[in-house]
Amino acid sequence: MNIRLAETTDVEQLIKMRWDFTLEDDVSGKIQDSEYSKFHTECESFLIESLASDEWFIWVVEIEGKIVSHIYTELVQKVPRPGRVTYPFVFMTNVYTVPGYRGTGIGSKLLSTINKWAKEQKYEFIIVWPSDQSVDYYSRNEFEHCKGAMMNTIN
């Protein structure tokens, strides 16, 4: 098992995993295979730009050349405040493990690596919006519910 940052050579696997991840939750069947080409183009562009940036860090677990788990993290810069050094915080999204590897501890090992990285970099905190099914996973891995955020759903 190799935990590492994604590289451009991983783009095709990451696109397919994102597609599969989305289809798992598409109980309505709204997403059609015919949409894959358009999605592929958009996702490929996003991934290439993200991997070249200093804002996105895409973490993967690789086993025998196959990516079996990933977590996307984005640094969010904060406005400086007088009297203290201002560090960014980490927005975590697209947390996914291939079904055959779930429940093996791989996701927790990946999350532990990210927690350690964030502490070493002195990022202020990591934030994630968990699904109802993933709350226990995050709770087991040093995350706690917070209060204070508000949201305006635009669409």
Side-chain angles (χ1 to χ4, degrees), residues 40-155:
H40 185 284
T41 300
E42 180 183 9
C43 194
E44 180 179 48
S45 177
F46 169 81
L47 288 168
I48 289 170
E49 288 176 24
S50 297
L51 291 170
S53 79
D54 291 331
E55 295 173 7
W56 282 95
F57 298 85
I58 301 171
W59 295 85
V60 300
V61 176
E62 180 183 48
I63 296 177
E64 298 178 4
K66 178 182 176 186
I67 297 173
V68 299
S69 186
H70 59 60
I71 297 176
Y72 290 47
T73 59
E74 180 184 23
L75 297 184
V76 179
Q77 301 298 324
K78 295 174 57 186
V79 177
R81 295 185 95 165
R84 69 179 201 178
V85 176
T86 305
Y87 295 99
F89 68 89
V90 178
F91 168 64
M92 188 167 61
T93 189
N94 199 29
V95 178
Y96 180 69
T97 299
V98 172
Y101 292 88
R102 293 179 189 160
T104 64
I106 286 173
S108 290
K109 288 177 185 171
L110 178 55
L111 196 47
S112 177
T113 298
I114 292 169
N115 287 339
K116 181 180 176 195
W117 164 75
K119 286 176 187 171
E120 289 171 353
Q121 299 301 315
K122 298 182 181 173
Y123 299 138
E124 191 164 338
F125 57 87
I126 301 172
I127 191 165
V128 64
W129 274 266
S131 66
D132 290 341
Q133 301 89 340
S134 64
V135 170
D136 288 340
Y137 164 72
Y138 292 111
S139 295
R140 289 190 312 269
N141 288 283
E142 302 181 35
F143 284 76
E144 56 190 51
H145 282 283
C146 61
K147 294 181 181 172
M150 296 180 77
M151 171 174 84
N152 178 359
T153 304
I154 304 302
N155 291 328

Side-chain angles (χ1 to χ4, degrees), residues 16-35:
K16 180 71 167 86
M17 290 176 77
R18 180 64 177 160
W19 179 262
D20 292 345
F21 181 19
T22 304
L23 287 184
E24 275 187 42
D25 292 330
D26 183 33
V27 293
S28 69
K30 284 176 40 178
I31 300 172
Q32 302 296 317
D33 286 340
S34 61
E35 298 175 20

